[in-house]
Amino acid sequence: MSFSEEIKAELLEQKIENACCQTILLFTVLKNNGSIEVDWDNNIKIKIRLFSMAYIRLIGSILKKRYGVSLTSIYKIYDNLSKKDYYQCSIDDNDICLKLLDELALKKSLFAETPPPDNLITLLKNPCCAFTFIKSVAASCGYFQNPSKSYHFEIRLQEPFLANIIRMLFKTNLKINLKSHIIRGENTILLYSKSYENLEKLLGYLGTSQTYQKLTNIKIIKEIKNTTNRNVNFETANLQKTASVATTQIQKIKQFMKSDEFNKLPEILIEAAHLRILNPYMSLIELAEHTEPRTNKSTMNNRLRRLLKICDEFVERHKIT
């Protein structure tokens, strides 16, 4: 099960008891996932396509309780466009369909670009209805990228009126400013965010505790990996820098060691020369720990600077290239 499917499964486990919230859910599902068929006698049936049987059962239980009607013709279909399985069902009772559309202030053309009815706008002022609306849209039209790859969620809609309502509710209730993009070839409005903070806010608001915890764990693991990579890169860069500097120093020292003047140096400089040649990857601090007696980084640096200055003067005097 994908991260997106896990979130939706958690959402569908939440009960919707209030009649006002049930109205919001039915409106959202019919508007975004419904279609109407009319037969020769002008009788209508409502067909609904949803992504899981759990969603079918939820809608079916509400319709049974409120209208005394059962969903029929339930079967699985494969969508070639999305490459996913869906479940399709229908409401075949003409009178119930007309009553349902009338109560939800929907017309026979469910996808007509008309403003949502006033009763819906009024209900959305209730916190419970606003929550149900956001939840139903997330379940019906939402997609959540696996946070191991990127922090991204999106909502795809075909109606600008609903898109504007969703943007308003996200801004008001969650303090999230959704970005928008129009997919012209599909005539679809894409609302999205690529922010971890926004994804965290949304999952916390929706109450999906399991996926919220999973998101938090993934973030912690990512931060640990990033910190480890930064430290490794830092250490690697330091080692490369140390090795590069040491290579230059060793070349100069080895040239000078071939002369008789090298043995006339003070013991501390001879010791520094041998330590540098034998330990090309050691830092100044590590070299200082190998002196007898042990010294510190500053002293070791001064000794090498004195030694290299003598080496440079030797090369200059003898015109060595």
Side-chain angles (χ1 to χ4, degrees), residues 79-131:
D79 185 76
N80 289 321
L81 184 62
S82 64
K83 306 300 181 185
K84 292 182 180 180
D85 289 326
Y86 287 89
Y87 294 87
Q88 187 150 306
C89 60
S90 63
I91 307 171
D92 296 335
D93 190 305
N94 178 73
D95 294 335
I96 295 296
C97 288
L98 291 174
K99 182 180 180 181
L100 181 60
L101 295 177
D102 181 62
E103 289 188 5
L104 297 177
L106 288 169
K107 299 181 180 179
K108 288 187 179 181
S109 178
L110 291 178
F111 296 105
E113 292 190 3
T114 55
D118 292 338
N119 66 325
L120 175 72
I121 301 300
T122 302
L123 288 176
L124 289 178
K125 295 179 181 179
N126 301 328
C128 62
C129 292
F131 169 78

Side-chain angles (χ1 to χ4, degrees), residues 236-253:
T236 301
N238 280 344
L239 286 174
Q240 291 175 342
K241 182 179 178 182
T242 299
S244 177
V245 172
T247 299
T248 303
Q249 292 174 345
I250 290 171
Q251 288 175 348
K252 294 181 179 181
I253 293 170

Side-chain angles (χ1 to χ4, degrees), residues 198-299:
N198 288 344
L199 179 56
E200 183 184 41
K201 284 182 185 178
L202 178 57
L203 296 187
Y205 175 79
L206 293 175
T208 54
S209 57
Q210 294 180 12
T211 44
Y212 181 90
Q213 186 63 46
K214 186 173 182 178
L215 172 68
T216 304
N217 291 339
I218 288 173
K219 183 188 179 186
I220 293 172
I221 293 172
K222 275 188 173 183
E223 289 178 345
I224 292 173
K225 286 182 177 179
N226 290 337
T227 300
T228 302
N229 288 337
R230 283 195 297 269
N231 291 338
V232 169
N233 292 338
F234 179 75
E235 291 297 330
T236 301
N238 280 344
L239 286 174
Q240 291 175 342
K241 182 179 178 182
T242 299
S244 177
V245 172
T247 299
T248 303
Q249 292 174 345
I250 290 171
Q251 288 175 348
K252 294 181 179 181
I253 293 170
K254 283 185 175 180
Q255 281 184 332
F256 184 55
M257 289 177 74
K258 295 176 182 179
S259 71
D260 295 334
E261 296 180 30
F262 176 76
N263 293 323
K264 298 176 182 179
L265 292 175
E267 287 295 327
I268 56 174
L269 297 188
I270 293 176
E271 180 188 42
H274 286 299
L275 284 173
R276 178 76 288 175
I277 291 174
L278 294 174
N279 304 284
Y281 294 103
M282 280 190 180
S283 64
L284 291 174
I285 295 177
E286 293 170 322
L287 289 174
E289 292 176 350
H290 286 73
T291 58
E292 293 292 341
R294 182 179 296 185
T295 183
N296 55 40
K297 175 182 176 181
S298 177
T299 301

Side-chain angles (χ1 to χ4, degrees), residues 6 8 26 78 145 209 290 307-308 311:
E6 288 178 11
K8 293 179 180 182
L26 290 175
Y78 180 76
Q145 174 73 36
S209 57
H290 286 73
L307 175 62
L308 293 171
C311 291

